């Protein structure tokens, strides 16, 4: 029997775009975007803007699970090797042309051309794990992907934000010479004007075919309720906060944790907080002369008071999470809720068993990411109090990235980017250090378990594997996750419908503004 992924209502029930007064929603952007080409020359800011203009066959719901978007229905063959996407009726590109299977093939072939420079090419061409063997279009509304082995992460990989949601764009997105011009997508907004280092203007797509129901991440209802969304580039957080307080901008999606309390007390401003799917952590170099000793790593983990640490870093906004499985994930359960325990007596015992003689342990951090710096400072004090001779090394962000890439550190305060599936969360830190020195955990049995989780399609079996991996991590301590990074936003009270999300980027459909 084939598996089916269905939309929640008939295409005929698609919601029409609401008519609202002409309005511009001005949104803080802390840096300019890098391009408008989805999944190409991108960063987090770029993704956050571009995904208002383009869409893929699937997208993430509010929990980070892949759901149909431009596909109305998805069928998976019994052997797990063929995915058949049935396209929705009534979807048009920004140029008025209807969405067809030919557009899907054209977009896919462009992504798979190495000259395009797609961020996720290696995730689908067989170099990493999965290989898409063939993509065909039996008719104008049907597309079939054939892959080389069953893979529970296939749809999740297609939906990834950093892949540009594997967006379906019209060939008019290219100039006559074949180079990128602008995104002619199917999203709720169209590109208006991009004044580099000043603002990016998106205008409402009056012909947008929204899904029924309420908002649900990158799927669900995505009606554009303002005429223009203008992302205003302001690099200094203090200047941005002043602009929000004065009404020069309407919304900030990235507010420093330390500023939230003040904004919460402002009469004209409301705030919103959501745990993201990205972990803030302390990686430990298991090949370091000192930290190769498991008991010493266990002592470091037991020396930290996680509630006090996380309260200090996030100003009481977050709860500790010692799991690489995000607290918002459907796979976060009783096993993941069991974490490291603050135990000074156990620290003393473990240090004695490790033969620790007071050697220095350096925590590398940076000031660009304030929570990383704050976490390092607080952890340093806790380790010192526990009898561990810790020191702090403050680096420029690029220098810390270089050390992380090379594995050239003892202990580090570091945040990983969001991963929507626990297998990908673990894969972000696990791997062979001989060939990938940035990896922090290379235990052979644990790596095999990770590989199995990437092949297993039964959610119950995958849950057991994630539970086992979490228990192994607590025992071996290759890193110490401390909490899920927060999305902290603030907006003027004449704005309605905005909430921070697990993705950390603003989602500005279904958001309205009163003058």
């Amino acid at each position: 029997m084939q598996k089916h992924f269905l939309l929640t209502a008939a295409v005929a029930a698609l919601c029409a775009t609401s008519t609202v007064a002409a309005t511009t929603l001005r949104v803080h952007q802390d840096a300019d975007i890098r391009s408008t080409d989805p999944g190409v020359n991108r960063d987090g800011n770029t993704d956050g803007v571009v995904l208002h203009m383009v869409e893929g066959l699937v997208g993430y719901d509010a929990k980070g699970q892949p759901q149909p978007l431009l596909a109305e229905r998805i069928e998976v063959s019994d052997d797990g090797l063929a995915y058949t996407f049935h396209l929705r009726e009534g979807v048009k590109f920004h140029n008025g042309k209807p969405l067809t299977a030919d557009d899907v093939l054209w977009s896919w072939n462009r992504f798979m051309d190495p000259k395009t420079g797609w961020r996720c090419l290696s995730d689908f061409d067989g170099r990493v794990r999965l290989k898409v063997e063939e993509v065909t279009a039996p008719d104008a509304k049907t597309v079939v992907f054939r892959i080389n082995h069953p893979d529970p992460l296939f749809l999740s990989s297609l939906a990834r934000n950093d892949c540009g949601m594997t967006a379906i764009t019209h060939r008019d997105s290219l100039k006559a010479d074949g180079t990128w011009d602008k995104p002619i997508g199917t999203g709720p907004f169209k590109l208006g004007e991009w004044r580099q280092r000043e603002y990016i203007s998106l205008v409402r797509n009056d012909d947008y075919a929204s899904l029924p129901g309420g908002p649900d991440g990158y799927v669900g209802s995505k009606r554009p309720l303002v005429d223009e969304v203008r992302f205003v580039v302001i690099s200094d957080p203090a200047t941005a906060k002043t602009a929000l307080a004065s009404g020069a901008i309407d919304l900030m999606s990235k507010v420093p944790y330390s500023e939230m309390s003040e904004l919460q007390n402002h009469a004209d401003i409301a705030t919103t907080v959501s745990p993201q799917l990205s972990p803030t952590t302390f990686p430990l170099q298991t090949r370091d002369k000192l930290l190769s000793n498991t008991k010493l790593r266990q002592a470091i983990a037991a020396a930290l008071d996680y509630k006090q640490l996380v309260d200090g870093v996030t100003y009481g906004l977050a709860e500790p999470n010692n799991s690489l499985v995000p607290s918002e994930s459907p796979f976060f359960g009783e096993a993941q809720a069991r974490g490291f325990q603050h135990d000074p007596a156990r620290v003393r015992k473990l240090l004695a068993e490790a033969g620790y003689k007071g050697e220095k342990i350096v925590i590398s951090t940076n000031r660009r990411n304030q929570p990383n710096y704050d976490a390092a400072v607080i952890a340093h004090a806790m380790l010192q109090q526990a009898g561990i001779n810790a020191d702090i090394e403050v680096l420029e962000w690029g220098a810390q990235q270089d050390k992380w890439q090379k594995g050239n550190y003892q202990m580090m305060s570091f945040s990983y980017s969001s991963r929507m599936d626990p297998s990908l969360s673990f894969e972000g830190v696990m791997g062979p250090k001989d060939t990938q020195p940035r990896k922090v955990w290379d235990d052979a049995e644990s790596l095999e378990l990770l590989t199995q989780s990437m092949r297993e399609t039964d959610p119950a079996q995958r849950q057991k594997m994630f539970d086992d991996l979490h228990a192994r991590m607590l025992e071996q301590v290759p890193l110490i996750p401390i909490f899920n990074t927060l999305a902290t936003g603030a907006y003027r009270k004449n704005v309605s419908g905005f909430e921070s999300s697990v993705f950390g980027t603003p989602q500005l459909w279904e958001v309205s503004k009163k003058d």
Side-chain angles (χ1 to χ4, degrees):
M1 180 179 294
Q2 291 181 320
K3 302 174 186 175
H4 291 75
F5 296 78
L6 293 170
L7 295 174
T8 57
V11 174
L14 293 177
C15 297
T17 301
S18 294
T19 301
V20 296
T23 313
T24 294
L25 182 70
R26 292 176 173 83
V27 181
H28 170 236
Q29 184 90 340
D30 61 7
D32 203 355
I33 62 175
R34 301 180 61 162
S35 78
T36 62
D37 194 349
V40 179
N41 188 20
R42 44 78 48 201
D43 58 13
N45 278 341
T46 304
D47 298 339
V49 173
V50 171
L51 291 180
H52 285 78
M53 297 182 282
V54 301
E55 298 175 315
L57 294 170
V58 291
Y60 289 129
D61 65 17
K63 290 287 188 180
Q65 300 302 297
Q67 303 292 346
L69 182 50
L70 294 181
E72 188 268 337
R73 186 174 80 257
I74 306 169
E75 299 170 0
V76 185
S77 62
D78 292 339
D79 61 8
L81 300 180
Y83 286 72
T84 301
F85 297 85
H86 299 274
L87 303 183
R88 288 166 51 201
E89 296 286 347
V91 177
K92 293 181 181 180
F93 289 104
H94 296 158
N95 59 6
K97 302 291 179 62
L99 171 70
T100 69
D102 180 65
D103 298 308
V104 178
L105 293 183
W106 180 84
S107 297
W108 178 258
N109 290 333
R110 177 176 175 269
F111 279 135
M112 296 305 289
D113 183 347
K115 293 180 181 178
T116 300
W118 188 35
R119 158 74 175 81
C120 298
L121 176 61
S122 62
D123 293 278
F124 295 97
D125 67 2
R127 280 182 287 169
V128 174
R129 183 185 75 256
L130 172 70
K131 184 175 184 180
V132 175
E133 302 277 9
E134 182 184 38
V135 183
T136 58
D139 59 57
K141 288 296 180 181
T142 308
V143 181
V144 180
F145 281 68
R146 298 187 183 278
I147 59 179
N148 60 336
H149 59 70
D151 191 321
L153 304 180
F154 175 57
L155 292 178
S156 186
S157 296
L158 287 178
R160 278 168 49 186
N161 289 9
D162 62 328
C163 298
M165 207 185 286
T166 318
I168 311 306
T169 53
H170 194 272
R171 61 192 69 211
D172 287 353
S173 300
L174 302 186
K175 299 176 184 176
D177 62 2
T179 59
W180 183 259
D181 183 20
K182 63 180 180 180
I184 307 296
T186 62
F189 293 94
K190 302 182 287 187
L191 182 64
E193 181 181 16
W194 177 13
R195 290 193 180 182
Q196 294 189 14
R197 294 179 294 279
E198 292 186 32
Y199 65 80
I200 309 99
S201 171
L202 308 185
V203 296
R204 183 172 63 189
N205 175 14
D206 289 323
D207 295 325
Y208 180 64
S210 179
L211 290 173
D216 190 10
Y218 285 95
V219 296
S221 183
K222 295 169 59 178
R223 299 171 301 162
L225 300 183
V226 293
D227 290 282
E228 178 191 13
V229 172
R230 180 171 294 196
F231 293 89
V232 182
V233 179
I234 306 174
S235 58
D236 178 54
T239 302
K241 185 182 74 170
T242 300
L244 180 67
S246 70
I249 60 174
D250 305 301
L251 190 153
M252 291 178 67
S253 64
K254 298 178 183 177
V255 178
Y257 301 157
S258 59
E259 303 289 349
M260 286 292 284
S261 178
E262 179 182 345
L263 291 176
Q264 286 168 348
N265 294 323
H266 194 290
D268 298 321
I269 294 174
T271 59
T272 172
V273 179
S274 172
Q276 294 185 52
L277 303 179
S278 53
T280 295
T281 70
F282 293 124
L284 302 171
Q285 180 51 267
T286 59
R287 291 190 174 182
D288 177 74
K289 183 178 179 180
L290 278 176
L291 295 180
S292 61
N293 189 317
T294 302
K295 290 186 181 295
L296 182 53
R297 300 198 302 272
Q298 291 172 341
I300 291 172
L304 301 177
D305 182 329
Y306 294 95
K307 177 63 176 171
Q308 183 179 350
L309 171 63
V310 174
D311 279 349
V313 173
T314 69
Y315 294 78
L317 295 170
E319 292 295 326
N321 179 15
N322 290 142
S323 175
L324 284 171
V325 179
S327 57
E328 296 297 298
S329 170
F331 289 99
F332 187 93
E334 291 183 7
Q336 287 69 34
R338 292 191 291 271
F340 300 110
Q341 297 299 313
H342 178 225
D343 189 340
R346 185 166 182 258
V347 173
R348 292 190 292 271
K349 179 175 181 293
L350 287 167
L351 291 178
E353 292 175 354
Y356 180 65
K357 304 297 184 184
E359 298 92 338
K360 183 183 294 185
I361 296 173
V362 177
I363 308 171
S364 301
T365 189
N366 71 90
R367 285 187 178 272
R368 174 183 168 182
N369 186 319
Q370 190 65 36
N372 286 166
Y373 177 78
D374 291 345
V377 170
I378 297 171
H380 167 260
M382 290 179 174
L383 294 179
Q384 289 278 21
Q385 186 176 14
I388 298 172
N389 182 16
D391 198 4
I392 295 179
E393 174 185 54
V394 181
L395 302 166
E396 293 295 328
W397 173 239
Q400 185 180 4
Q401 281 275 77
D402 183 65
K403 283 202 164 196
W404 172 73
Q405 289 280 358
K406 296 176 180 177
N408 181 26
Y409 61 89
Q410 288 183 297
M411 181 173 174
M412 185 172 280
S413 184
F414 192 81
S415 297
Y416 287 85
S417 58
S418 295
R419 301 289 194 274
M420 303 303 161
D421 186 276
S423 289
L424 298 177
S425 297
F426 282 106
E427 191 274 337
V429 306
M430 297 176 68
K433 291 190 177 187
D434 288 337
T435 56
Q436 300 179 69
R438 72 180 184 280
K439 302 294 188 178
V440 301
W441 190 12
D442 61 354
D443 173 67
E445 290 184 1
S446 300
L447 285 173
E448 176 57 30
L449 191 60
L450 173 63
T451 299
Q452 292 175 22
S453 76
M454 292 180 166
R455 298 290 180 89
E456 178 59 60
T457 57
D458 180 4
Q461 293 300 315
R462 298 188 77 218
Q463 182 71 68
K464 292 178 181 178
M465 295 173 185
F466 299 142
D467 293 352
D468 192 352
L469 281 169
H470 178 67
R472 290 169 177 266
M473 187 201 69
L474 294 180
E475 177 65 25
Q476 298 178 28
V477 203
L479 80 165
I480 303 171
I482 53 176
F483 69 96
N484 292 118
T485 304
L486 296 175
T488 46
Y491 55 93
R492 305 281 300 178
K493 287 184 178 178
N494 62 335
V495 173
S496 300
F498 175 71
E499 293 182 355
S500 294
S501 75
V502 297
F503 307 102
T505 51
Q507 297 165 5
L508 302 172
W509 44 83
E510 299 293 333
V511 176
S512 61
K513 174 186 170 183
K514 294 181 180 178
D515 290 329

